[in-house]
Amino acid sequence: MQILVPLINVIISGLILGSLYAVMSMGLTLIYGIGRIFNFAHGAFILWGGYFTWFLCTKFHLNYGVSVVLGILILFPVGWVVDRLLLYPLRRKPNFEINAVIVTLGLAILLGNAGDVIFGTRFKTIDQLTEGLLRMGRFTITHHDIATLVITVAILLFLELFLRKTTLGTAMRAISQDPVGAKIVGINLDRLFAFTFALAAALGGISGVLIAPRFFITPAVGWETLFKAVIIVIFGGLGSVKGTLIGAFILGMLEAFISMYLGMFWVSPMWFILLIIVLFIKPRGLFGTWA
Amino acid sequence: MGMTSDNATTIYERFLRRSTVILVLLLLILFPLYGDPYYTHLMLLSFIWAVVASAWNLIMGYAGIFSFGTLAFFAVGAYSSSLVEVWGGISPWPGLLLGGSSAALAGFIIAFPCLRIKGLYIVLVTVAFHQVIPIFIKLGGTWTGADVGLMDMPHYSLFGYDFGTYKICYYYLALFLFIVLHYIIYRIIGSNMGLAFVALRDSESFAESLGVNRAKFNVVVFVISSFIIGMMGALYVHYLKVATPRILEIEIFAGAIIMVVLGGLGKFPGVIISAFMVTFLNEFLRTAGLIRPILLGAIIIAVIMLFPSGLSGLVDSAYRYAGRTLHSLRPGKM
Amino acid sequence: MLEVHKINTFYGEVHALKDVSFTVEDGEVVAFLGANGHGKSTLLKTVCGLLPPSTGHIEFNGRRINHLPMHKIVERGIVYVPEEKHLFPDLTVRENLLMGAYIARARKEREKNCEMVFELFPVLEKRQNQIASTLSGGERQMLTIGRGLMSSAQLMAIDEPSVGLAPRLKMEVFDKIKEINEQQGLTIILVEQEVESTLAISDRGYVMKDGRIVFEDKSNNLSIDVIQKQYLA
């Protein structure tokens, strides 16, 4: 019984981390799977989810929950505009893939540091959604963690239903499988690319909001989350929603275990080692379809 | 008439190009003798970054290998030469070559996983490599100087002149390498190897069916470009007299990417010009502080959106125009 | 219904269509015949919006369409059934069909169209929950045509439907195309290399060579000999 309690705590941590990472990485996968590009600015969207929340909470004293909703509402159109302004004109020109990587890199650098300029460089923190712990026998979880788990699982379920059952979601899957076929059935690809980007920005923003209470909000967060999202997405297979989901949970669980049994210090190296292993041994990841 | 109008303008163009190059080289050689030391310093940095950008353009623009983490080789060259000199007692000139060689070795190793993957994955592998290096540097503690930096590298010296004291020697060393390495890159592009790169980039299966060995060429281009960049890294930190992980920071990375992209991927003279432009711009923006990275980001976006073929496109057009003008001005025309 | 005026299309540097002009009337089946590489597929791609023409214009029901993006052309009522099929490999047969009815006009009649397609191609109904990549060649061809039918189009452009199919299936495909034309009044442009069967189901035929239309006549008057003569001329 002695080993069981901490073990279950770790598993619960792992689940929470996993679902959080899943939401965090999903946008990257969607943009790659459907838009066929790598969005370097993905971390910036996550970071700005944090910035918006902080801003709304601190300056307007809004409820954390309301901030979550507002964050989504703001970031969705931001993503749409970014696609229309930056990516749409480049799609028509040659070398689109590499140009898209570079332009999103520029955007990432710009957005990454804009926060410091706009909001100042003092450390920013956000309080948790709710205080309090839940005790069940010998297990404890914070209320915040439960809320996080509930929210992320709800988002993931919603996403799954959206992609499988709705026409729009199916159209997105169709584009990822055969873009010419999508044109043939009359799908307006430009509009859907914008939608996908907007959705990815919103997902990134939500995950930023959820992650925010754990960290100081600094530009570095943007790069660190991007890095983790990249590893998760490659591990699961670029462009595969299923792969990202599974990869996120595996890696979240792994991080929880290593954090508990080896110590926080080993978490960063773990991610790097994982990346090197995946890229050298099986670059396509678990379910990857594109080379 | 023996010549077509096009032939004639090309001759003028070539003449103009060659004379411009010679003129510029003369100016560069004379510059530090009369110029302000501050600007000499900037020119020196520009030489180094121009070579780095050109080598980066070689692998990314010419060979079409999207290596975003190329700067990592800069750090490898910088640190390996410094470490070997500080702890191993090797003198700096062989240290310079060693820097290049270890970077070349790293390039050789990285080339292999990149063979099996394409496009985007290569971006990720190389960026991962770029991200890993600072971790190792920091883990190195006092051996590598960690965040503080590794110092006390021995100075280069030639004919009794210690470069550390006579900084102008660094300028001429950098200029020398600038000329020599660019000449090498230029010859590579013009050679069969260069043709092979372009063929592989534009039409891989066809090139392979003609017997071009993609694996061999990819590895070769990795090794060559990383050797050059590693050597520049070694020179850089010897000049600055300290090697820190900051050479891999986002701002330096952004600057380098701007150089390559602004110059025009796969085309040459533009990269050199943009290296100078970015180095000087970066310096003038130093006072901007926090705004600088934002401006860099905005510049990257603007460059890609507005100049897809970079400065090289503009340079080419300029020479063409000048050539045609000269042609129409020639004496005795009908 | 469809008027094509002197279009020129380029594939990069290659001049694939040279001053091509023709018309198609309501309810017709018009065939384009000729050897591979002479512009037949490019012609369909240009009409359907996949490849814009450099010069010339195309009018459908009196309105110009040559500058429109493909999704708008589908909305106007022209649907493309390509030789490469471009099915969605990881979607089910049913999902592929539903995607065919993506545009607003077709979405309203989705269920009705689906039933119609299943009646025409019972095998698709049988396999409706199977992933498209598991279908056989003939079934895929049927699915491609079926998906095209889902868009409630007025004009369907079909590119080499019989290629790669066994003779019996080839016959079936041609029969079905004729059936669709007769029962629903769907106008059809058909590009093919199977001359005899194509002429049997079409009203008129055009012969293409080197990116140009070199001959046209009613199908009754055309035959393999006539076409071959054009190529030897």
Side-chain angles (χ1 to χ4, degrees), chain A residues 18-263:
Chain A
S19 67
L20 193 52
Y21 283 157
V23 173
M24 188 178 89
S25 321
M26 204 50 79
L28 202 57
T29 294
L30 287 175
I31 291 181
Y32 188 77
I34 295 163
R36 303 283 166 112
I37 57 168
F38 177 71
N39 176 21
F40 240 111
H42 182 71
F45 290 135
I46 298 175
L47 176 65
W48 274 84
Y51 273 131
F52 276 129
T53 315
W54 174 83
F55 184 67
L56 293 170
C57 279
T58 341
K59 298 298 174 187
F60 295 109
H61 302 289
L62 285 179
N63 184 303
Y64 179 77
V66 173
S67 306
V68 171
V69 173
L70 281 180
I72 304 172
L73 290 181
I74 296 180
L75 276 159
F76 187 89
V78 166
W80 190 289
V81 166
V82 166
D83 179 271
R84 274 296 175 171
L85 276 182
L86 298 181
L87 296 174
Y88 173 76
L90 290 179
R91 269 195 193 103
R92 272 123 192 59
K93 301 194 188 148
N95 294 323
F96 174 58
E97 277 159 12
I98 187 72
N99 287 342
V101 171
I102 297 175
V103 94
T104 51
L105 173 63
L107 187 64
I109 295 175
L110 199 163
L111 288 180
N113 290 291
D116 270 351
V117 170
I118 298 179
F119 300 119
T121 53
R122 275 175 37 240
F123 277 158
K124 303 169 190 60
T125 54
I126 306 183
D127 294 326
Q128 307 201 6
L129 173 62
T130 50
E131 296 297 323
L133 297 171
L134 179 67
R135 293 183 195 277
M136 304 179 300
R138 299 209 207 152
F139 312 118
T140 55
I141 323 179
T142 62
H143 281 167
H144 176 84
D145 280 348
I146 296 180
T148 305
L149 190 60
V150 166
I151 295 177
T152 48
V153 169
I155 291 175
L156 292 170
L157 277 175
F158 164 76
L159 206 56
E160 180 69 12
L161 280 172
F162 172 73
L163 287 175
R164 297 246 156 238
K165 300 286 178 192
T166 66
T167 307
L168 190 55
T170 310
M172 286 166 71
R173 283 190 296 142
I175 297 179
S176 74
Q177 292 170 29
D178 194 322
V180 177
K183 274 189 174 178
I184 287 173
V185 299
I187 296 176
N188 182 344
L189 281 145
D190 287 321
R191 197 184 298 168
L192 256 102
F193 286 142
F195 178 81
T196 306
F197 208 86
L199 181 62
L203 285 173
I206 300 175
S207 64
V209 168
L210 294 171
I211 292 175
R214 289 168 189 250
F215 298 116
F216 291 125
I217 303 174
T218 70
V221 169
W223 298 110
E224 281 160 21
T225 49
L226 173 67
F227 191 67
K228 282 190 180 172
V230 165
I231 299 177
I232 292 173
V233 161
I234 299 183
F235 182 77
L238 254 183
S240 161
V241 170
K242 186 170 64 172
T244 303
L245 204 60
I246 296 181
F249 275 99
I250 293 179
L251 293 182
M253 202 57 87
L254 199 61
E255 179 176 316
F257 270 88
I258 290 191
S259 175
M260 167 69 84
Y261 292 114
L262 288 178

Side-chain angles (χ1 to χ4, degrees), chain A residues 32 38 102 113 272 275 280 283, chain B residues 116 120-121 124 128 135 261 293 297:
Chain A
Y32 188 77
F38 177 71
I102 297 175
N113 290 291
F272 278 118
L275 177 67
F280 275 71
Chain B
R116 290 190 291 144
L120 177 64
Y121 277 96
L124 298 173
I135 298 217
V261 167

Side-chain angles (χ1 to χ4, degrees), chain B residues 149-210:
Chain B
L150 183 62
M151 295 180 267
D152 301 324
M153 288 87 85
H155 298 158
Y156 298 118
S157 75
L158 200 56
F159 308 129
Y161 284 104
D162 179 314
F163 283 33
T165 336
Y166 297 93
K167 288 225 180 144
I168 202 177
C169 299
Y170 266 116
Y171 178 92
Y172 285 113
L173 176 60
L175 177 59
F176 174 71
L177 288 174
F178 172 80
I179 296 174
V180 166
L181 293 174
H182 270 115
Y183 182 70
I184 293 179
I185 292 178
Y186 180 69
R187 288 303 297 261
I188 290 178
I189 295 175
S191 75
N192 284 334
M193 215 191 316
L195 273 179
F197 289 151
V198 177
L200 281 169
R201 182 190 72 198
D202 290 340
S203 181
E204 196 173 302
S205 39
F206 185 58
E208 289 192 319
S209 70
L210 289 179

